[in-house]
């Protein structure tokens, strides 16, 4: 299901600032070569992530789910001086590709790539997070959220992607493992009084969650 009218999407992209050439190259390569190219953040979402980071000037960012490195590069663009972005990827082939793009950007000093299971890696990263971006396996969202929230600073931001999950959460009944998991995550966040939240209908749905 198309959540956003493609004509409106194209119109919004036309009137938004363009991302840099490397990000455009990543998008083109992924569309042509990756069987799960739909997982890549599009130009509108990428620019939104970049602007949010530039506004907040975070010192520490965590990304759960690196994929091709596109969203990591967008979020790293706003890091404060000396800031670091930690990103976690389970699949070695995707991690290799992302790492090559980080080298191309000459950002090895600001983007730290971790390979493996995020639930095992997150607890050993002794950081206080300014921004966390969750964009990995959907059944893991609740566990990722519960792990990171205690380490997010007061006023810090968690952003969860794909919270409309291709429109499947709008169905009655909701079916499919990932859609059911996303619905459970959305309900949990809505009931969590530790945070303020707003769900945006950008691309496949973005949940902006601010820790009080």
């Amino acid at each position: 299901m198309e959540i956003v009218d493609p004509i409106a999407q194209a119109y919004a992209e036309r009137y938004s600032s363009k991302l840099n050439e490397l990000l455009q190259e990543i998008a083109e390569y992924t569309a042509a070569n990756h069987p799960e190219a739909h997982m890549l953040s599009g130009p509108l979402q990428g620019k939104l992530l970049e602007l949010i980071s530039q506004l907040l000037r975070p010192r520490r960012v965590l990304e759960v789910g690196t994929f091709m490195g596109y969203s990591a590069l967008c979020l790293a663009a706003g890091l404060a001086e000396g800031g670091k972005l930690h990103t976690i990827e389970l699949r070695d082939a995707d991690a290799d590709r992302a790492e090559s793009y980080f080298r191309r950007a000459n950002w090895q000093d600001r983007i730290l790539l971790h390979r493996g299971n995020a639930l095992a890696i997150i607890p050993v990263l002794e950081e206080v997070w300014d921004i966390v971006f969750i964009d990995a396996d959907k059944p893991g969202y609740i566990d990722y959220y519960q792990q990171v929230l205690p380490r997010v600073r007061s006023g810090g931001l968690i952003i969860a992607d794909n919270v409309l999950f291709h429109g499947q959460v709008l169905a009655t009944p909701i079916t499919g493992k990932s859609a059911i998991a996303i619905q459970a995550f959305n309900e949990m966040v809505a009931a969590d009084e530790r945070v303020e939240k707003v769900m945006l209908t950008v691309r496949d749905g973005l949940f902006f969650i601010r820790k009080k």
Side-chain angles (χ1 to χ4, degrees), residues 60-123:
R60 292 295 181 267
V61 177
L62 172 64
E63 178 183 57
V64 184
T66 311
F67 193 43
M68 296 286 99
Y70 187 98
S71 51
L73 288 165
C74 292
L75 287 164
L79 286 170
E81 185 175 353
K84 304 288 185 185
L85 182 147
H86 294 258
T87 183
I88 305 171
E89 178 54 51
L90 180 63
R91 300 185 293 192
D92 278 328
D94 290 347
D96 288 344
R97 176 62 61 171
E99 199 161 44
S100 74
Y101 291 130
F102 300 155
R103 288 195 297 270
R104 290 267 305 279
N106 197 27
W107 280 0
Q108 306 95 309
D109 61 332
R110 68 173 76 179
I111 301 178
L112 306 176
L113 176 62
H114 306 270
R115 299 169 185 247
N117 187 315
L119 292 176
I121 294 169
I122 292 169

Side-chain angles (χ1 to χ4, degrees), residues 52-53 56 58 60-62 75 129-133 157 159:
I52 291 295
S53 184
L56 296 181
R60 292 295 181 267
V61 177
L62 172 64
L75 287 164
W129 306 112
D130 300 300
I131 300 176
V132 176
F133 183 50
L157 184 66
I159 306 171

Side-chain angles (χ1 to χ4, degrees), residues 181-199:
I182 286 293
Q183 180 64 21
F185 172 77
N186 291 341
E187 291 177 354
M188 180 204 67
V189 173
D192 191 346
E193 296 184 354
R194 298 171 294 178
V195 297
E196 297 177 301
K197 72 284 292 190
V198 60
M199 185 181 291

